[in-house]
Amino acid sequence: MHLKGKRLKKLISSPMALFALSSTSALAENLVENSAQAERWQMNLKPGVTELGQEIYDIHMLVFWICCVAAVFVFGYMFYAMFAYRKSKGHEPANFHEHAVAEISWTIIPAIILLGMAWPASMTMIKVYDTTESDLDILVTGYQWKWKYEYILEHGENVAFFSNLTTPSQQIHGEEAKNNNYLLEVDNPMYLPVNKKARFLITANDVIHAWWVPALSVKKDAIPGFINEISAKPFKTGTYRGQCAELCGKDHGFMPIVVKVVEQDEFDSWLSEKQTQAAELAELMQQEMSMDELLAQGEKTYAGKCAACHGSNGEGGVGAVIKGSKVATGALSWHLDVVVNGVAGTMMQAFGAQLNAIELAAVITYQRNAFGNNMGDKVQPIDVHNFKQGGK
Amino acid sequence: MSHGPAKGLSRWFLATNHKDIGTLYLWFSFSMFLLGGSFAMIIRAELFQPGLQLIEPNFFNQMTTMHGLIMVFGAIMPAFVGLANYMIPLMIGAPDMALPRMNNFSFWLLPIAFAILASTLFMDGGAPNFGWTFYAPLSTTYAPPSVTYFIFGIHIMGLSSIMGSINIIATIMNLRAPGMTLMKMPLFVWTWLITAFLLVAVMPVLAGAVTMMLMDIHFGTSFFSAAGGGDPVLFQHIFWFFGHPEVYIIILPAFGVVSEIIPTFSRKPLFGYASMVYATAAIAFLSFIVWAHHMFTVGMPLVGELYFMWATMLIAIPTAAKVFNWITTMFKGSITFETPMLFSIAFVFLFTIGGFTGLMLAIAPADMQYHDTYFVVAHFHYTMVAGAIFSMSAAIYYWLPKWTGRMYNESMGKVHFWISFLGFNLTFFPQHFIGLAGMPRRIPDYALQFADFNMISSIGAFIYGASQLLFLYNVIATIKYGEKTTVKKTWEGANGLEWTQPSPLPYHTFTTPPEFK
Ligand SMILES: [Cu+2]
C-alpha cells in the first residue's frame, strides 16, 4: 500500500484503519469464519449457508439481471431519443401521439417477463414456508434489547438463556478502538448442529422485533402474542452474525444475534453442559446459602447489572441511590418486588426474567448489606422462587 | 378585473384567492422541507462514522421519525396541494377553486398541525421515536407521552388533506371551461383528480388507526395490545392500507408534472394520453390491493404472501407503460434541456431505477432478505426524492416565470440540478449496497464493514442538502431581481390554458370562462 493512501485512510477514519490492520493479522480460523459475513465494500447479498438461502440468492440475481437488461433497453432508448432528437441538431419535431402496436407490446412484454420471475419466486416461497420435520426447535423471544433462546428438548430440562451485546460502551463512544466484531458480538451465542434443520419459533415479550441472520436467510418478525415459524438447515460450520431488523426502541441497533453452527458432537457437548448447568442451578436453588456466599455472588451480579445506573458504591446516578435508600433498608418483599418486577414508568427494569434465582437472592442480599446498609438479613434463592410463584 | 389583493397580513390570513393559497402552501412546504432536511443532516452526520458521536440513540430515533413524518406530510404532500391550487384553475380555465373559504381553512390547519408536531421535540420524554410508520405497541404502550400530540397533529393534518381533496374534486368536476371534456384535461389535472379520490379514501383510515392508538393509550382498550386480546399485526394492516395508496398520493401528481414538462421541451404532444390516464387509474386501483407487501416478514399465511407478491408485481405494467410513454414523447421531438426538462428527465431515469428496486422488493422470498434494510431506504428515496422532490423542482422552474413575470437564472438552475443529481445519487446509490450487505435501517450505529459506504452516503447527503439552499436563493433572487418577462408563453413548446394568460399572472384569471378548442 502506498504510504500516502495509508495515511489518508487513517485520517479519514481510525476504525477503518484498525479494520485493515486486524484483517491482516486475523487467524485462519477467523477468515473461514467470516466467509459468510459482511465484508468491507460488500455490494451484494451473499448466498448464505443453507440450500434455501442459495435458492433465494439465485432468485435475487435472476431478478437483478432481468432488471439490468430492462434498464439497458429503457435507458438506451431514452438516451438515444435525447441525443438523436435534440433541437440543437436542428431536428424538426414530429407530431404523432399514438401507436397502438407499440402501446400494446410494452404492456404485454413486461407482463410475460414478470410471469417468468413470479413463478420461480412462488416455488421458493413455498419452500420457505415449509417448517415441518425439524430436528431441533428453538423458541426465540425478543426483549428490549436482547434475545432469549430456549431449546425445547425431548429429553431432560429445556435450556434457556439470554443473549446480550458485549461490545463495551467505551468502544461505542470512541474511547477505545473498535474491535472486529463491533456491535455484532454477544455473551451467549445460539448453537446449532450442522446439517440439521432447526426450526425457530419466534415471539417477543414487549414490542415487535425481527430476528435476522443473513447467512441463514432467516428474517422473521418477533411479535408479542404471536409465534412465527421459520427454519434453516445450515450446511457449513461457522459463526454467523445478524441483528434485530425491526425498530424496537432506543437500543434497536444494539441487540445483535450470533449463531454458531458446529459439528453434531460439539453441539451435543455444549448442550449437555448447558443442561448440567441448569440442573446444578436447580439443585443450588434448594440449598441454603451462607452470607459470605451470597455477598460474594451478589457483588459480582451488582457490578454486572446494577452498577452502571446505581453507581458502584450505591451512590446513584441514572438510577436511584441505594445507599441508605428506603427500598434497600425497608421491607424485604418491597425490595424483591422492585428488583424482580422493575418500576413501571422509570428506567428500572424487571430483572426477574434476566437473572436466575441465585443471582437475584445474592444481589438483593448484597444491596441490603453493602454500602453501610447493615440490615443483616438474607434472601435465599428459594425465597425468590416463592416470591415469583406468589406473584407480587 | 374587480380588485387586487388585500393589504398587509390579512391578504394571507384571510386568503381565498387560489394563487395566494397556492403560494402559502408552497412556502409552507418548502420551510417544512428545510426542517425535515435538517433532521436528515443530523442523521447522516451521526452515521458518518461508526460509533455514537453526536446524538444519543433515542434522539436518533426521534430524528428518523420526525424526518419521515415532516417530509411526507409536511413537505411533499402540501407542495403538490399548493401546485394543484395554483395550477388546476389555470389549466381548466376556472376563475378560482370551487370552495375558496374551505381552501383557506385547509391551509391554515397545516401550520397548526405541524406546530403541534414540532413542539413534541421540546416535551418531556421527547418527540415521537417510533418511526414514521409508528408500529404498535412501540407507538402505544411503549411510546413517550408526546404521542398524544402526535395523534392530534395527524388528525388535524388529515382533516386538512380531506378538505383540500374535496375542493380539488369539486373544482375539476364543476369548473372546467366549456369544451374541456374529461379526456381533454391536462394530465396534471387528471393525476390530481385521481390522487384526490385516493386521499378521500385513505385519510380516514389513517385517522381510524391513530384514534385506535389513542383509545389504547388513554381509554383502556386493547386494539393493538396482545396482552389484552388485541393484535399488533392489525395495526400494520390498517396502517399500510393507508400507507400504500399514500405513496401513490405522493407520486401521481409528480407523474402529472413531468407529463406537462416533457412534451413542452420535446415540442411534441404527450404520447399515449389516453393510456396515461388509464395507467394512472390502474395504478390507483392496484394501490388498494397490495398493502401487505410491506409485511412479508410478519408471518402471513403462504397464500397471503403469494397473493400480495403477484398483485404487487402487476403494478410494474402500468408503470412501465408510463415510462415508455414519456420516452416516446421525446422520441422524434425537438428537445432542449432547460432546467425543468433536466429535472424531468432525471425524474424518469431515477424513478425507473426506484421502480426496478421496487420490483425486486415485490419478490417475497428475496424481500425476506431486503426487508427493513438500507436497500428499502434507498428504494423509497429513489421514488420520494428523485420522484416527488425532483418533479417539484422541475415544476417550480417551469411555472415560476409565469407566476412572477420574472425569469430565473438558467445557469444557476442548471448548477442546482447537477449538484442535486450528484448529491442525490452519492447519498442513496451506495445505500443499496449496504442494505444488501446486511445493514438494518433505523440504527444509530453500525458494524465496521458498513463504514465506507456510509461515509460516502453522508457526504452525498451534505451536498444534496446544500444544493437546496442554492435553490432557495435562486427562487428568491428570481422573485426580487429576475429579468422581467411579459411573454405569455415562457416556453416555446408549451401548451395549455395557463400559457394564454399574461405574465406575471394577474390576481384574477378566467373571470369569464375561455372557449376551449
Ligand atoms: Cu429489537
Side-chain angles (χ1 to χ4, degrees), chain B residues 97-301:
Chain B
M97 295 295 281
L99 308 160
R101 287 182 187 80
M102 191 165 91
N103 209 8
N104 175 292
F105 190 41
S106 320
F107 172 76
W108 282 107
L109 283 177
L110 276 185
I112 297 170
F114 284 89
I116 291 171
L117 190 61
S119 71
T120 58
L121 277 166
F122 306 101
M123 287 179 188
D124 236 14
N129 56 4
F130 31 68
W132 87 275
T133 51
F134 50 100
Y135 281 8
L138 187 63
S139 63
T140 52
T141 321
Y142 294 83
S146 63
V147 66
T148 306
Y149 293 86
F150 154 83
I151 291 171
F152 193 41
I154 293 281
H155 270 141
I156 298 177
M157 184 222 76
L159 206 59
S160 158
S161 285
I162 291 170
M163 288 195 296
S165 309
I166 290 172
N167 204 350
I168 286 168
I169 294 170
T171 306
I172 297 172
M173 298 316 275
N174 296 303
L175 299 185
R176 297 195 307 279
M180 182 173 282
T181 60
L182 284 176
M183 288 309 278
K184 282 184 182 166
M185 293 194 309
L187 212 74
F188 179 72
V189 180
W190 253 118
T191 54
W192 244 115
L193 180 63
I194 292 168
T195 302
F197 275 105
L198 285 181
L199 275 165
V200 172
V202 300
M203 290 316 278
V205 178
L206 177 67
V210 295
T211 306
M212 287 155 96
M213 283 169 59
L214 189 76
M215 304 282 284
D216 273 9
I217 295 166
H218 293 296
F219 302 107
T221 58
S222 298
F223 289 110
F224 306 133
S225 156
D231 180 351
V233 180
L234 174 68
F235 174 85
Q236 297 184 27
H237 281 292
I238 300 175
F239 178 83
W240 287 114
F241 187 81
F242 147 80
H244 199 74
E246 168 68 20
V247 305
Y248 290 100
I249 287 166
I250 286 171
I251 206 64
L252 291 183
F255 287 171
V257 167
V258 296
S259 301
E260 299 300 322
I261 294 175
I262 289 177
T264 295
F265 295 97
S266 306
R267 293 165 181 77
K268 189 166 154 281
L270 181 69
F271 184 86
Y273 172 88
S275 72
M276 283 297 221
V277 173
Y278 299 139
T280 309
I283 291 173
F285 170 73
L286 288 173
S287 77
F288 283 109
I289 58 167
V290 296
W291 74 89
H293 65 214
H294 297 269
M295 302 163 56
F296 281 144
T297 63
V298 297
M300 269 186 291

Side-chain angles (χ1 to χ4, degrees), chain A residues 12-16 18-19 37-46 56 59-60 63-64 66-67 70-71 74-75 77-83 85-88 90-99 102-103 106-107 110-111 114-115 117-126 128-129 144 171-174 178-180 182-184 205-208 210 212-221 223-226 228 230 243-254, chain B residues 48-53 56-58 61 64-65 129-131 133 135-138 142 226 230-233 236 266-275 296-302 305-306 309-310 313-314 316-317 320-321 323-325 327-328 330-337 345 348-350 352-353 356-357 359-360 363-373 432-453 455-456 492:
Chain A
I12 294 172
S13 155
S14 50
M16 283 184 208
L18 178 95
F19 202 74
Q37 290 306 311
E39 288 162 7
R40 273 190 77 179
W41 298 109
Q42 184 183 327
M43 295 163 81
N44 197 1
L45 291 182
K46 288 204 164 184
I56 291 172
I59 297 251
H60 157 74
V63 178
F64 172 73
I66 289 176
C67 287
V74 175
F75 297 143
Y77 178 33
M78 182 169 121
F79 286 111
Y80 171 74
M82 277 163 58
F83 287 104
Y85 300 104
R86 56 192 198 272
K87 196 189 178 204
S88 54
H91 197 274
E92 281 298 312
N95 201 30
F96 65 88
H97 54 84
E98 256 164 3
H99 192 286
E103 288 178 69
W106 66 50
T107 309
L114 287 172
L115 214 61
M117 292 185 267
W119 189 256
S122 301
M123 293 302 116
T124 304
M125 203 60 204
I126 289 168
V128 170
Y129 264 66
Q144 280 181 326
Q171 289 190 17
I172 294 171
H173 290 96
K178 296 175 174 49
N179 82 86
N180 224 345
Y182 177 70
L183 295 188
L184 298 177
N205 182 57
D206 33 50
V207 300
I208 300 176
W212 180 30
V213 184
L216 300 182
S217 305
V218 162
K219 184 190 281 152
K220 206 78 177 176
D221 291 0
I223 304 170
F226 286 74
N228 276 328
I230 194 155
Q243 285 178 271
C244 176
E246 181 63 59
L247 178 63
C248 56
K250 178 171 72 74
D251 287 340
H252 164 53
F254 304 92
Chain B
F48 186 72
Q49 279 191 327
L52 293 175
Q53 285 88 21
E56 284 303 307
N58 191 38
N61 290 346
T64 54
T65 307
N129 56 4
F130 31 68
T133 51
Y135 281 8
L138 187 63
Y142 294 83
D231 180 351
V233 180
Q236 297 184 27
S266 306
R267 293 165 181 77
K268 189 166 154 281
L270 181 69
F271 184 86
Y273 172 88
S275 72
F296 281 144
T297 63
V298 297
M300 269 186 291
L302 177 63
E305 301 269 332
L306 296 181
M309 173 171 81
W310 284 71
M313 292 177 79
L314 279 182
I317 296 170
V323 171
F324 282 118
N325 280 339
I327 299 175
T328 311
M330 292 196 274
F331 185 71
K332 296 203 170 175
S334 173
I335 309 170
T336 50
F337 300 93
I345 291 171
V348 176
F349 179 55
L350 299 174
T352 304
I353 293 176
F356 285 134
T357 53
L359 178 61
M360 294 172 77
I363 306 289
D367 179 73
M368 303 206 112
Q369 291 293 310
Y370 312 141
H371 182 79
D372 266 328
T373 68
H432 292 113
F433 305 146
I434 41 177
L436 292 176
M439 178 164 160
R441 61 191 286 208
R442 294 167 165 168
I443 56 174
D445 192 5
Y446 48 82
L448 301 182
Q449 50 268 44
F450 307 127
D452 310 84
F453 283 128
M455 189 176 283
I456 294 171
E492 176 191 30

Side-chain angles (χ1 to χ4, degrees), chain B residues 29-88:
Chain B
S29 65
F30 196 82
S31 62
M32 287 295 111
F33 179 58
L34 292 183
L35 181 65
S38 63
F39 295 162
M41 295 300 111
I42 293 172
I43 293 167
R44 283 316 321 173
E46 177 55 54
L47 293 175
F48 186 72
Q49 279 191 327
L52 293 175
Q53 285 88 21
L54 306 171
I55 54 176
E56 284 303 307
N58 191 38
F59 189 68
F60 182 89
N61 290 346
Q62 295 176 35
M63 288 292 100
T64 54
T65 307
M66 296 294 272
H67 167 72
L69 290 170
I70 286 181
M71 285 306 200
V72 168
F73 296 113
I76 300 177
M77 286 171 67
F80 283 115
V81 178
L83 213 53
N85 264 286
Y86 219 123
M87 298 315 299
I88 287 175

